[in-house]
Amino acid sequence: MAKFTLRTENLCCLSHHTNSQTSIFHTSLRHRQLHLLPTKNRLLKFRILSSIKDKEDVVESERVPSVLSGLRVNELDEPVRISDSEGRSESESGSGEVGSDWNWPPWKNIPQRYKLIGTTSVAFIICNMDKVNLSIAIIPMSHQFGWNSSTAGLVQSSFFWGYALSQLPGGWLSKTFGGRKVLEIGVLTWSLATALVPSFAGFIPGLVLCRILVGIGEGVSPSAATDLIARKIPLEERSRAVSFVFGGLTVGSVIGLLLAPPLIQSFGWESVFYIFGFLGIAWFLGFQFVKEERPSLRVEPIPRFQSIATNKSLTTSLKELSGSLKDVPWKAFFRSPAVWAMIYAHFCGSWGHYTCLSWIPTYFSEELNLNLAEAAWVSVLPPLGSILMTTIAAQLADNLISNGVETTKVRKICQTIAFLSPAVCMILSSVDLGLPPWEIVGILTAGLALSSFALSGLYCTHQDISPEYASILLGITNTVGAVPGIVGVALTGYLLDSTHSWSLSLFAPSIFFYLTGTVVWLMFASSEPQTFSQRD
């Protein structure tokens, strides 16, 4: 029987499910399989990354024909049992081979990182549903409570105050406690606050406070998701992960805009807050079951360098969790041209996004002379187009990186498309070319849809340059990116009252920021990893 020697660089993590008794590895040469001696019918669950060789004193007739190296005992998502070569279960035999008995439920075999990314995307769908519901419900609410435009504007802008204030705290909390926990608390906070809106609708301070809490809950979520992706997703899958998660915001906008009007007509404006809030609470309860599953045994060959990289990743995660606010290298962040490029690009992209999200339906109705029903339906077209473009952009970016294209070059290409496309389309819409309304709708829809390439550009760069501080970096850029939601939307209305020109009030500022953002991004953006902690 060949004996295995575990080298000192190997990693062995014992689960808390094991008992204090010892279990022994040995091998059956007849079957060349890894066996385990269980203790009291319970599996010893662990993770081992090792290089294992047969010892020289093994009898020649029993020698393993080849050196076993790079064996990986990894996590399984499905339950396993131990049985020996004669079919006896672990209760009948002291040794057995690793096998799988259960394939139910169907998602049991899905890798853990995909489960986390999928459920996080669902959270972001609910996030934007709770963001857009007020933009529709504000009309019957204003009629019921006799609000003027200033009061309605105050209620809607209160969301962005909470959203802006929570960005940096959300980034630090995600780095310190992990993005998963922060995401859970954020979803529960904004969902409860959403469900409370009808109770405080007649009391402006209480209503404003509810919307601020919704903004705070949703404000910590992007940093939490960024931290989760940085920890769990490898570089070659990162563009798709970011696009899939943040693409949930677009899906949420579509669903919210489609569901809110019939719900309000059938059950009253209160229903959108109760139903959407309940969805978030249900997500929070369901997410408790998407936990780190108990590690089981899987043997698969992996390269030696990959084992070393995994050890380093685990060590880095532990260091991240032990950090604190005073350990964050703030000065190093703001000495980096790449960070300033991300900050300005985020501001520019948010200006175009938030102003169009707020004013495009009115533009379609007043400037293009579409009725309210038509304006509502065509307002859904840009986010629908974004869903398609997000998928294309993510696949393109990941394929380019996998084929050896420099990551910085890929991010610059994607972000340039995200900026120049809507800028060109807004210029075409501003110039009087005699185009019919539906062609202008199509042009704007195409431009705004292509702006979703930013999910494979700017929004991936935080993780690229520093997985350790990705959540805090996104908190910084998102804080600046929330300013257009407060200032830009109001300024657009002011300019519209002053100039009575949609080209000057809505499109001209956005075009300016898209073009200057492109220049800054191409000059200073970088995805090269930066060790900020060594600069301070």
Side-chain angles (χ1 to χ4, degrees):
M1 178 176 297
K3 298 180 181 178
F4 290 137
T5 300
L6 301 183
R7 295 179 178 176
T8 57
E9 72 267 20
N10 299 330
L11 172 65
C12 180
C13 299
L14 296 181
S15 166
H16 66 277
H17 300 289
T18 63
N19 54 35
S20 59
Q21 299 183 14
T22 304
S23 296
I24 304 172
F25 273 114
H26 67 281
T27 183
S28 170
L29 295 178
R30 179 176 301 176
H31 302 286
R32 298 180 188 172
Q33 293 173 333
L34 189 64
H35 286 255
L36 176 68
L37 292 181
T39 59
K40 295 185 179 180
N41 295 334
R42 299 187 65 179
L43 292 178
L44 177 65
K45 301 193 175 185
F46 55 93
R47 178 181 176 86
I48 293 181
L49 301 174
S50 63
S51 294
I52 307 175
K53 295 185 179 181
D54 53 327
K55 295 185 72 68
E56 296 178 355
D57 56 349
V58 178
V59 179
E60 183 64 27
S61 61
E62 294 182 345
R63 179 178 292 274
V64 179
S66 62
V67 174
L68 302 178
S69 62
L71 283 181
R72 181 180 186 179
V73 183
N74 204 350
E75 295 183 12
L76 279 179
D77 291 325
E78 66 273 1
V80 299
R81 71 172 184 173
I82 301 299
S83 61
D84 63 9
S85 59
E86 298 177 3
R88 292 179 297 175
S89 66
E90 64 183 35
S91 60
E92 300 172 321
S93 174
S95 65
E97 65 184 70
V98 179
S100 174
D101 276 344
W102 304 99
N103 291 317
W104 187 261
W107 56 84
K108 191 69 175 178
N109 295 330
I110 298 177
Q112 184 69 16
R113 66 184 188 276
Y114 296 154
K115 294 179 184 178
L116 292 173
I117 293 303
T119 50
T120 302
S121 180
V122 173
F124 275 42
I125 292 175
I126 300 172
C127 173
N128 257 27
M129 290 175 64
D130 289 335
K131 182 185 295 183
V132 303
N133 57 3
L134 183 63
S135 64
I136 298 175
I138 197 70
I139 299 175
M141 291 173 70
S142 298
H143 292 163
Q144 178 176 337
F145 298 106
W147 296 340
N148 56 27
S149 299
S150 299
T151 303
L154 172 65
V155 173
Q156 293 194 78
S157 64
S158 59
F159 168 89
F160 290 101
W161 286 103
Y163 190 80
L165 291 174
S166 61
Q167 295 300 316
L168 283 176
W172 173 73
L173 290 172
S174 297
K175 178 186 180 298
T176 305
F177 301 104
R180 180 193 180 96
K181 180 60 64 178
V182 174
L183 179 63
E184 291 179 0
I185 297 175
V187 174
L188 183 62
T189 299
W190 91 57
S191 299
L192 291 174
T194 297
L196 289 174
V197 165
S199 301
F200 291 93
F203 180 59
I204 293 298
L207 179 58
V208 169
L209 178 60
C210 285
R211 290 301 293 178
I212 290 176
L213 289 175
V214 173
I216 290 174
E218 295 192 10
V220 302
S221 301
S223 295
T226 298
D227 178 85
L228 191 151
I229 292 171
R231 294 174 187 269
K232 300 294 182 180
I233 305 301
L235 175 62
E236 61 272 13
E237 297 179 6
R238 193 167 291 160
S239 299
R240 281 169 288 181
V242 171
S243 298
F244 189 76
V245 170
F246 285 87
L249 296 174
T250 304
V251 176
S253 296
V254 173
I255 295 177
L257 290 172
L258 293 179
L259 287 183
L263 286 175
I264 292 174
Q265 292 176 355
S266 301
F267 306 105
W269 61 265
E270 298 90 346
S271 62
V272 295
F273 298 102
Y274 288 135
I275 294 175
F276 291 2
F278 171 78
L279 290 176
I281 297 172
W283 180 94
F284 172 81
L285 296 175
F287 194 59
Q288 306 308 308
F289 296 96
V290 188
K291 295 291 186 181
E292 294 290 343
E293 289 135 342
R294 299 177 180 179
S296 300
L297 299 181
R298 170 182 292 165
V299 179
E300 63 181 57
I302 61 171
R304 175 181 172 84
F305 71 87
Q306 186 173 341
S307 300
I308 297 174
T310 305
N311 289 338
K312 182 178 180 181
S313 177
L314 291 173
T315 303
T316 301
S317 296
L318 293 175
K319 290 181 179 179
E320 290 175 15
L321 290 174
S322 64
S324 63
L325 184 60
K326 64 180 181 180
D327 297 325
V328 177
W330 301 103
K331 293 181 181 179
F333 290 159
F334 295 108
R335 286 200 298 263
S336 170
V339 171
W340 282 107
M342 291 192 297
I343 291 173
Y344 188 66
H346 208 140
F347 179 90
C348 295
S350 293
W351 187 286
H353 174 74
Y354 288 137
T355 55
C356 287
L357 184 67
S358 301
W359 290 103
I360 278 292
T362 307
Y363 169 79
F364 286 154
S365 176
E366 296 183 359
E367 184 70 9
L368 302 185
N369 297 319
L370 303 179
N371 60 44
L372 291 178
E374 292 172 337
W377 280 104
V378 298
S379 297
V380 179
L381 295 179
L384 283 176
S386 295
I387 297 174
L388 176 62
M389 289 298 104
T390 295
T391 304
I392 296 174
Q395 192 67 41
L396 173 65
D398 282 344
N399 286 342
L400 289 175
I401 293 174
S402 298
N403 291 330
V405 180
E406 185 182 359
T407 305
T408 297
K409 184 178 295 185
V410 173
R411 304 305 183 207
K412 286 186 175 182
I413 291 173
C414 291
Q415 191 61 39
T416 300
I417 294 174
F419 278 168
L420 292 184
S421 298
V424 171
C425 291
M426 287 181 180
I427 291 173
L428 294 176
S429 300
S430 302
V431 179
D432 186 8
L433 300 177
L435 299 176
W438 291 105
E439 290 188 12
I440 297 177
V441 169
I443 291 173
L444 288 175
T445 296
L448 295 176
L450 286 169
S451 67
S452 61
F453 264 77
L455 294 179
S456 297
L458 167 66
Y459 284 86
C460 287
T461 311
H462 307 78
Q463 299 96 308
D464 292 340
I465 68 175
S466 179
E468 181 179 4
Y469 296 109
S471 59
I472 295 180
L473 289 172
L474 183 63
I476 294 172
T477 65
N478 230 6
T479 299
V480 179
V483 173
I486 302 171
V487 178
V489 175
L491 180 61
T492 300
Y494 174 79
L495 292 174
L496 187 61
D497 289 336
S498 302
T499 64
H500 303 286
S501 170
W502 284 99
S503 297
L504 295 177
S505 60
L506 178 61
F507 294 136
S510 296
I511 292 170
F512 170 80
F513 286 119
Y514 280 138
L515 295 179
T516 57
T518 302
V519 174
V520 172
W521 185 258
L522 291 176
M523 291 180 62
F524 300 108
S526 174
S527 288
E528 292 297 321
Q530 301 188 28
T531 53
F532 292 109
S533 58
Q534 296 179 8
R535 293 189 182 186
D536 256 353

